[in-house]
Amino acid sequence: MKAKAAILVGLAAFSLSACDRGGDRPVAPPEAGAPTEAWVRKDVVLYLPDHVMKKRADEAILSPYLQAAGAAAETAVRAAPVQPGASGMVLVMVKPGRRSKAWVVTGEPAPSPETLAAAVAAVEAVPAPAVREGPVLVGIGFDAWGGGAAPAGAQPPIPRDWYAHFSKDGGRLDDAFMATVWPD
């Protein structure tokens, strides 16, 4: 519990943009028989402080990339069979050298592993923009098939396996941590 609190304190220090996560609002299931959207983009979250993001990436380049990455994930989800509603975040890390990696974090129940893998592959196929001096980490919030429970744990969410990289006293999402979860 102490580690979770330290992680949350560390995450709270980061600048968030257009952030209405809604994690503390109950999610009402769609009415029976009501059509649900396969994908609704909710928000974009910067996982690094604003001054770091501005130093590493030009907004005029990063913003269209994030639009394309979100559209790629949407296309993959819309191509999948309808599943129980899910809410989550597509995390995209971009490193110098125009390299990118994606993760999807959702609440339970999660979409099928095939759907998650297709969304990750689609996002990773989008040509990454140039960043400088270090990685950037951004999240794209979404509801799929009407939405569902928010991801458990830290808000904004991180993949569950990332917790293993924090010490028992917590940690920070900094360059060293990002190099641990995605080594060169």
Side-chain angles (χ1 to χ4, degrees):
M1 190 61 160
K2 187 176 179 183
K4 188 182 234 183
I7 292 167
L8 291 174
V9 168
L11 283 173
F14 295 115
S15 171
L16 303 178
S17 172
C19 187
D20 178 18
R21 293 183 300 278
D24 50 344
R25 291 188 311 241
V27 176
E31 293 180 32
T36 58
E37 284 290 322
W39 178 274
V40 175
R41 180 178 162 167
K42 292 173 29 180
D43 54 6
V44 173
V45 178
L46 305 178
Y47 280 74
L48 297 174
D50 191 53
H51 73 278
V52 173
M53 292 293 293
K54 286 179 179 175
K55 185 167 64 169
R56 293 184 178 180
D58 295 320
E59 183 179 348
I61 294 171
L62 189 59
S63 183
Y65 168 73
L66 293 172
Q67 289 289 333
E74 177 180 356
T75 298
V77 168
R78 286 185 183 278
V82 174
Q83 298 171 45
S87 293
M89 186 80 65
V90 175
L91 277 77
V92 183
M93 188 183 302
V94 180
K95 288 185 172 182
R98 296 181 183 259
R99 298 174 292 146
S100 67
K101 184 162 177 60
W103 297 263
V104 178
V105 182
T106 68
E108 295 297 330
S112 72
E114 296 81 13
T115 300
L116 296 175
V120 165
V123 171
E124 291 178 349
V126 175
V131 298
R132 49 194 176 270
E133 297 183 34
V136 299
L137 181 61
V138 181
I140 303 166
F142 68 90
D143 284 335
W145 303 291
Q155 290 300 321
I158 60 173
R160 287 181 186 99
D161 62 333
W162 288 17
Y163 287 100
H165 298 285
F166 287 117
S167 73
K168 66 178 184 168
D169 295 323
R172 294 186 57 92
L173 290 175
D174 57 13
D175 289 355
F177 180 82
M178 289 189 284
T180 302
V181 298
W182 182 24
D184 285 329

